[in-house]
């Protein structure tokens, strides 16, 4: 378990911490970050693997220690922090905490690549400029760099090797720019399991508490880097059954855009509450016709029903994006047109 915890990147630890905090507390944190950092962290949450409780506990404990040490550092520097930690935890535990703090304060460039399979990394960077390849190889594990260098074409290999030799100090802004571009590209091609510890559902819950501008920034960035994942998140942000939370004017606006045959299919198998919400916002004649259509179609496959519901949800999202329908965030259910 220690090894597993040690392999976690700082971004993944941040994602674990936010999921542990819950949507209501995590949302304000995202809103305080830059657009780029908020997007990166949101993607990390959506792609989060299942985290064992003891690992989650260690991440929370580490964060608590980091907060303590930061306070000590602000008061009297790192040596003052060490003295207080020694007094509080003893030499062994204090040294462990201090090392974690030092690593947190100085993240190694391209740290997100350290656990990437060399073959996968090769396929990802082999078409980049030789200078970019050399820069990446200068920061990854030597064994990985050797494996990648050996698989490059002879011409590219010689060029990259020469640039490695000639490379001395690269300006931090250049390193950061290359790192940001590669991370954005890599996040769209590396597949990870999405499970209950994080994943799209967690991100959706957090987004329900952020303001509209932050939500749009994160979703736009996610759409650019991983369109399929973005679509999955969007589909989960408003499900068909959420129609019951809309006010009557909003439902009437939606019904103007929906095909009645499609609506009849979507209502099959839904709760009485959902059906009554729809019926009360239609004329008596239209309601009678809709009920007849539902009875006439008989048993319907669940897949067909869900597809019809998704198409209606897509209409609701389109109306919201066009500004014709507004769904309030931040835990409020009220919807106005």
């Amino acid at each position: 378990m220690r090894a597993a915890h040690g392999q976690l990147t700082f971004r993944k630890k941040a994602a674990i911490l936010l999921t542990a905090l819950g949507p209501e507390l995590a949302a304000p944190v995202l809103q305080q970050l830059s657009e780029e950092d908020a997007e990166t962290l949101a993607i990390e949450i959506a792609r989060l693997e299942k985290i064992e409780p003891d690992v989650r506990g260690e991440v929370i404990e580490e964060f608590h220690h980091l907060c303590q040490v930061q306070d000590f550092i602000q008061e009297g520097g790192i040596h003052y922090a060490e003295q207080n930690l020694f007094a509080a935890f003893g030499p062994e535990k204090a040294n462990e905490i201090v090392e974690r703090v030092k690593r947190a304060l100085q993240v190694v460039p391209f740290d997100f690549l350290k656990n990437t399979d060399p073959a996968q990394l090769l396929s990802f960077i082999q078409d980049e400029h030789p200078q970019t390849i050399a820069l990446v190889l200068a920061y990854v594990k030597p064994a990985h760099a050797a494996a990648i260098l050996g698989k490059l074409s002879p011409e590219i290999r010689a060029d990259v090797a020469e640039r490695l030799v000639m490379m001395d100090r690269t300006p931090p802004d250049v390193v950061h720019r290359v790192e940001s571009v590669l991370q954005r590209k890599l996040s769209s091609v590396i597949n990870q399991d999405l499970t209950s510890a994080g994943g799209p559902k967690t991100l959706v819950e957090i987004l329900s508490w952020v303001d509209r501008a932050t939500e749009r920034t994160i979703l736009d960035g996610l759409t650019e880097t991983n369109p399929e994942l973005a679509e999955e998140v969007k589909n989960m942000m408003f499900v068909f059954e959420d129609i019951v939370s809309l006010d009557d004017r909003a439902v009437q606006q939606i019904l103007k855009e929906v095909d009645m045959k499609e609506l009849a299919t979507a209502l099959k198998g839904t709760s009485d509450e959902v059906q009554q919400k729809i019926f009360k916002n239609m004329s008596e004649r239209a309601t009678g016709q809709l009920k007849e259509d539902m009875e006439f179609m008989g048993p319907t496959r669940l897949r067909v029903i869900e597809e019809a519901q998704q198409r209606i949800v897509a209409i609701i999202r389109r109306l919201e994006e066009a500004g014709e329908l507004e769904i309030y965030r931040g835990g409020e259910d009220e919807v106005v047109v």
Side-chain angles (χ1 to χ4, degrees), residues 24-53:
E24 188 173 356
L25 295 177
V29 176
L30 282 178
Q31 291 177 220
Q32 294 299 315
L33 300 176
S34 66
E35 291 186 5
E36 181 180 356
D37 288 341
E39 174 195 331
T40 299
L41 192 50
I43 292 173
E44 195 70 54
I45 292 171
R47 299 171 72 88
L48 193 61
E49 299 173 343
K50 183 176 182 180
I51 303 299
E52 297 297 331

Side-chain angles (χ1 to χ4, degrees), residues 208 320 326-336:
S208 70
E320 183 188 12
E326 185 174 359
I327 300 178
Y328 285 109
R329 294 333 193 227
E332 297 181 17
D333 292 328
E334 182 185 3
V335 177
V336 299

Side-chain angles (χ1 to χ4, degrees), residues 75-89:
E75 289 181 33
I78 188 68
H79 295 299
Y80 177 76
E82 290 176 344
Q83 292 172 3
N84 281 275
L85 291 172
F86 286 167
F89 299 106

Side-chain angles (χ1 to χ4, degrees), residues 110 131 134-135 138-139 167-176 178:
F110 300 100
Q131 185 67 31
L135 182 61
Y139 284 102
M167 187 182 299
D168 182 14
R169 295 185 179 180
T170 305
D173 60 326
V174 174
V175 175
H176 179 69
V178 174

